[in-house]
Amino acid sequence: MALQARQPSGNEVRIALPADPMKTLSIRRPDDWHLHLRDGAMLRAVLPETTRHFARAIIMPNLVPPVVTAADAVAYRDRILAAIPDGATFEPLMTLYLTEGTDPADVAAAAACGLVKAVKLYPAGATTNSSSGVRDLTRVMPVLEKMAEIGLPLCTHGEVTTPEVDIFDREAVFIDTVLDPLRRRLPELRVVMEHITTEEGAAYAAEGGETLGATITTHHLIINRNHILAGGIRPHYYCLPVAKREKHRLALRRAATSGNPRYFLGTDSAPHVDALKEHACGCAGCFTATNTMPLLAHVFEEDGALDQLEAFASLNGPAFYRLPVNKDVLRLEKRPEPNAFPEKIASGAGPVTVFDPGFPVHWHVLP
Ligand code: NCD
Ligand code: ZN
């Protein structure tokens, strides 16, 4: 059969290839190891987009006010459970938002009863709703020492916020000046580098050993900074950490498709209503819950690595978090007709634009 191939020049050519042997794919049901569900009307609108394909998700705690204590996490978990659509099964894996006032005993109790699976470090000012985050890491050392002792992972938003550091360099500088010194000081601490966006991040994670994991988003496998800035500013591609230049996207593609257990899927699906994205000071976040799995199948197939999709989306995350792999499966099928993703989903708070990959996607998730 004839497939279309893209030459480096961008010209389409038709070349004869043997029939595609793999049109369907069955993988263990995936999990999302970094997800923003928000609250209230937005929670009710976006949760079904995740429960359709994913069995579990690590739930980010950056609400306003943030999810700081075990009691906050119980209450938020109950609101999420109440919003799960009829017939769906989904387990929210709760996290606590680390502040300079966090009590190590509260964290330890929340972990011991299984309520909380990680604590999230937001450097103050790094991203959406991070103003209660950490300014001085020495102030949270008692919490981090307790987490190292009990094996509770620290999820890091890995960007420095120093104004002098260029926004495109913030991840690499964070690794050198914050993450690496912290891991040397507390080698037992289990750390997830959340949403890595650079070849430096991918390389550091590759060498990190079993105490280190790294999540990679769907959108950072697809867009580079040109998508945000060339030919007009495109707010729906603006997220944090901001997408970098092409060589970094390619490094993330190699990492995600490598099968290396250090890397796993965290979509960082982060809904904001259009009015706040299409704004003079637009919010950061790409909403990818709806179409992540077809997009990943497309990406992994393009890189000749469909056989690694299960490791990335369904196996490596549970292994890091010491949780069982899901028993049921997700089936995907490649069809001649492209997927018709909704352009937007409605929420009681306003419309939310679904991430547009900019190319047709022929992989469909089977019901
Ligand atoms: C996230 C959000 O909107 O909460 N935004 C984003 O661009 N990813 C916060 C975050 O994960 O940085
Ligand atoms: Zn996030």
Side-chain angles (χ1 to χ4, degrees):
M1 92 186 244
L3 290 183
Q4 289 198 335
R6 193 173 282 276
Q7 287 185 319
S9 66
N11 295 329
E12 299 280 342
V13 292
R14 296 187 77 79
I15 52 174
L17 288 178
D20 191 340
M22 197 181 228
K23 289 284 186 194
T24 63
L25 181 64
S26 271
I27 61 171
R28 295 292 189 119
R29 184 167 291 276
D31 304 301
D32 185 348
W33 300 97
H34 181 130
L35 176 66
H36 299 271
L37 285 177
R38 315 303 189 201
D39 214 340
M42 185 64 91
L43 166 65
R44 288 190 290 278
V46 299
L47 184 56
E49 302 300 295
T50 285
T51 62
R52 199 174 294 132
H53 299 161
F54 295 93
R56 299 170 290 196
I58 284 276
I59 308 300
M60 287 295 124
N62 62 334
L63 304 183
V64 186
V67 180
V68 175
T69 64
D72 297 338
V74 169
Y76 187 31
R77 186 186 60 180
D78 287 348
R79 297 197 296 279
I80 295 169
L81 293 175
I84 295 175
D86 288 345
T89 48
F90 177 72
E91 186 186 357
L93 306 173
M94 307 310 291
T95 64
L96 298 179
Y97 184 119
L98 183 61
T99 72
E100 293 181 3
T102 293
D103 173 9
D106 184 61
V107 171
C113 69
L115 168 68
V116 154
K117 297 292 187 277
V119 171
K120 178 71 189 256
L121 167 67
Y122 289 103
T127 188
T128 310
N129 304 335
S130 61
S131 57
S132 317
V134 175
R135 287 181 170 73
D136 178 357
L137 210 57
T138 60
R139 296 188 171 214
V140 296
M141 280 317 286
V143 183
L144 301 180
E145 283 160 6
K146 176 55 81 179
M147 289 168 61
E149 182 190 318
I150 64 178
L152 184 66
L154 178 72
C155 294
T156 57
H157 183 106
E159 292 189 287
V160 294
T161 53
T162 334
E164 303 79 57
V165 178
D166 189 277
I167 191 164
F168 291 101
D169 300 332
R170 288 180 175 189
E171 181 170 300
V173 174
F174 180 88
I175 293 168
D176 290 345
T177 64
V178 182
L179 181 60
D180 192 61
L182 174 63
R183 294 185 63 245
R184 285 174 195 278
R185 176 157 172 197
L186 276 180
E188 307 294 306
L189 184 64
R190 310 183 68 241
V191 175
V192 184
M193 301 170 70
E194 297 287 346
H195 43 49
I196 56 169
T197 58
T198 59
E199 63 181 1
E200 290 87 348
Y204 188 81
E207 300 302 317
E210 289 190 356
T211 57
L212 193 61
T215 58
I216 303 178
T217 76
T218 313
H219 50 283
H220 287 115
L221 297 173
I222 294 172
I223 62 167
N224 63 31
R225 63 196 197 178
N226 282 10
H227 291 83
I228 312 169
L229 296 170
I233 188 155
R234 288 170 213 272
H236 295 291
Y237 290 146
Y238 173 62
C239 67
L240 289 170
V242 70
K244 310 295 192 297
R245 59 170 68 238
E246 178 66 357
K247 69 169 181 170
H248 297 290
R249 186 185 73 92
L250 295 176
L252 298 175
R253 292 273 286 238
R254 288 192 296 275
T257 58
S258 68
N260 183 326
R262 303 274 72 77
Y263 307 115
F264 40 92
L265 173 64
T267 66
D268 195 16
S269 182
H272 295 275
V273 294
D274 283 354
L276 295 177
K277 292 288 295 175
E278 300 165 8
H279 192 275
C281 183
C283 292
C286 295
F287 179 66
T288 54
T290 305
N291 52 4
T292 274
M293 290 314 299
L295 291 178
L296 288 177
H298 178 103
V299 161
F300 277 63
E301 183 185 41
E302 203 167 64
D303 289 1
L306 266 182
D307 58 337
Q308 300 297 349
L309 179 59
E310 184 177 49
F312 180 68
S314 314
L315 306 180
N316 296 348
F320 180 86
Y321 277 96
R322 299 173 174 164
L323 292 170
V325 168
N326 296 313
K327 288 209 165 54
D328 50 343
V329 298
L330 187 80
R331 290 183 305 132
L332 296 114
E333 184 174 67
K334 191 179 181 191
R335 296 189 193 146
E337 75 279 8
N339 223 317
F341 303 125
E343 193 190 333
K344 298 174 192 296
I345 64 157
S347 85
V352 176
T353 293
V354 175
F355 177 75
D356 174 6
F359 48 76
V361 177
H362 293 267
W363 284 93
H364 300 247
V365 175
L366 297 176

